[in-house]
Amino acid sequence: MTEQGKITRALIGLSAVVIAVCAVVVAVKVVGTHPQRPLLDQEAVERQVSATARSGSSAKVDMSREGVFCPTAIEAKKGIKFECDVYLAPGEPTTVKAEVVDDQGKLSMSKL
């Protein structure tokens, strides 16, 4: 095989690799352009739910998250609504309804 043929084959092979790498880079950029909304701090939400559930009851008002069950990965997006179950004591389940009132994650809560 001539020297020119070897160089041509090498350039074709190199071109294929460069095109493949470019395709991967473009695909990653396209997939990565969708910004994710921030999520609410799970611990902070559960402490706030706990305080809301315990307010006005004989249960001690504290910041414990024990017995609080909320959805995970809640977006900090205005209008998102969710409910949490709170077990203050055996036989005393309480549901707290919450709504995200602004895109910074401020919540409005009420007992059901």
Side-chain angles (χ1 to χ4, degrees):
M1 184 182 258
T2 67
E3 191 65 31
Q4 190 176 12
K6 288 180 184 179
I7 293 172
T8 303
R9 290 181 78 195
L11 286 175
I12 290 172
L14 182 60
S15 297
V17 170
V18 169
I19 290 170
V21 169
C22 289
V24 169
V25 169
V26 168
V28 168
K29 287 284 189 182
V30 168
V31 170
T33 57
H34 301 290
Q36 288 187 334
R37 289 203 172 267
L39 300 178
L40 297 178
D41 179 340
Q42 188 74 26
E43 290 181 23
V45 169
E46 290 175 356
R47 282 193 298 272
Q48 190 174 349
V49 166
S50 177
T52 300
R54 287 174 168 78
S55 66
S57 75
S58 60
K60 180 181 173 188
V61 176
D62 63 13
M63 297 307 279
S64 170
R65 295 171 41 222
E66 189 173 324
V68 178
F69 300 93
C70 294
T72 57
I74 304 165
E75 285 186 71
K77 179 181 176 187
K78 184 178 180 178
I80 298 282
K81 296 178 183 180
F82 60 94
E83 292 182 358
C84 299
D85 295 320
V86 182
Y87 296 89
L88 301 174
E92 288 188 57
T94 301
T95 299
V96 174
K97 185 176 182 177
E99 181 176 358
V100 181
V101 295
D102 65 22
D103 288 339
Q104 278 66 50
K106 185 176 178 183
L107 298 173
S108 170
M109 295 189 180
S110 61
K111 287 192 279 189
L112 294 181

